[in-house]
Amino acid sequence: MQWLELEGAANARDLGGLPTADGGVIADRTLLRSDNLQGLTPADVKLLVEDVGLRTVVDLRSTHEVESEGPGPLRAVERVRHVHLSVLPELGEMTDAAVDALFSRRERTLERYPDDPMCALYLGYLEDRPESVVRALRTIADTPGAALVHCAAGKDRTGVVVALSLTVAGVEREAVVADYAASGTRIAGIMARLRASPTYAPDLEKRGGDDEKHRPRPETMEAFLTQVDERYGGPLAWLAEHGFGESDAQRLREKLVA
């Protein structure tokens, strides 16, 4: 796991080196993932932009989150493009910490997959905001240099978009699941940063529970990918149904695979 040791983010890593089923690997410095970027220091910005070659940020947070948090340090860097693509229904002041608020439609959400509420939530991203998911993958494919995908914690919304991207690139499922679960090793730092934020702290306080409640479990990503297979014929079929065809998939593979 290629962690990016940033002062202002707890869950940042380069996905380079992940193995594909045909013996290849994801290229270094093409696809990055992270939690919220609001706290980046000047040294963090230099590492990402000058050393890693960051050129595009794909921000999966809701409009409320973006407006509440305000512009982060990377917004001042002209060579970095920012693409905002919320994967949540825009229902007022919504954050990904406010999962219980999303569950104002709780019955419908849980009906998607009663055995795992987080898997049910992930399936909701595909149902509620397919255009954002597709555009996120297309943005990654078209980025010259490194693309960084992030949300608030960098584990759920980011986890789904990254899992789909890696799957299209041919990464073995075991490695996709392991990358998703790796955020759990940083859960204390992730949650400390969220609890220190006026945007996320109130939602977390309402939900209660310790850090373990928020730790991503490999079984959740396994269930999500299995459900995408069973319901839609797999990630490629779901993407094709929403306008991301074979030529798009090939561009993404060429971008990501060394």
Side-chain angles (χ1 to χ4, degrees), residues 10-85:
N11 191 22
R13 56 191 183 270
D14 182 344
L15 301 175
L18 292 179
T20 61
D22 61 1
V25 294
I26 298 299
D28 292 345
R29 303 180 181 186
T30 57
L31 181 58
L32 318 175
R33 60 181 293 171
S34 182
D35 52 335
N36 203 351
L37 303 174
Q38 298 299 121
L40 295 184
T41 66
D44 294 336
V45 172
K46 178 182 182 299
L47 186 150
L48 289 170
V49 177
E50 297 184 18
D51 299 343
V52 178
L54 176 63
R55 292 298 176 266
T56 300
V57 171
V58 179
D59 185 348
L60 304 177
R61 295 175 300 166
S62 68
T63 300
H64 165 66
E65 289 169 90
V66 172
E67 293 177 349
S68 176
E69 292 280 275
L74 282 171
R75 283 282 182 179
V77 182
E78 291 185 2
R79 73 182 102 168
V80 176
R81 179 172 65 129
H82 289 76
V83 181
H84 176 221
L85 298 169

Side-chain angles (χ1 to χ4, degrees), residues 70-164:
L74 282 171
R75 283 282 182 179
V77 182
E78 291 185 2
R79 73 182 102 168
V80 176
R81 179 172 65 129
H82 289 76
V83 181
H84 176 221
L85 298 169
S86 174
V87 295
L88 297 179
E90 294 288 328
L91 298 174
E93 297 185 354
M94 187 67 65
T95 77
D96 74 343
V99 175
D100 287 340
L102 279 178
F103 286 359
S104 61
R105 305 180 305 159
R106 186 177 182 85
E107 288 186 7
R108 180 189 163 200
T109 300
L110 288 176
E111 282 173 1
R112 293 187 181 116
Y113 193 71
D115 292 342
D116 187 329
M118 294 310 297
C119 176
L121 192 67
Y122 297 173
L123 291 167
Y125 302 158
L126 304 190
E127 290 185 17
D128 294 328
R129 302 304 299 267
E131 75 287 353
S132 290
V133 175
V134 166
R135 190 178 166 200
L137 268 64
R138 193 168 279 133
T139 299
I140 294 166
D142 294 339
T143 293
L148 185 152
V149 181
H150 85 97
C151 51
K155 62 185 179 69
D156 299 311
R157 292 172 288 187
T158 297
V160 167
V161 168
V162 165
L164 293 176

Side-chain angles (χ1 to χ4, degrees), residues 221-237:
M221 182 53 66
E222 287 274 14
F224 169 72
L225 293 172
T226 297
Q227 288 300 305
V228 173
D229 289 344
E230 294 178 356
R231 295 172 186 229
Y232 308 113
L236 285 169

Side-chain angles (χ1 to χ4, degrees), residues 174-198:
E174 181 179 350
V176 173
V177 172
D179 171 67
Y180 165 81
S183 293
T185 67
R186 298 292 178 104
I187 197 66
I190 294 168
M191 299 311 299
R193 294 185 72 247
L194 292 177
R195 291 187 179 105
S197 164

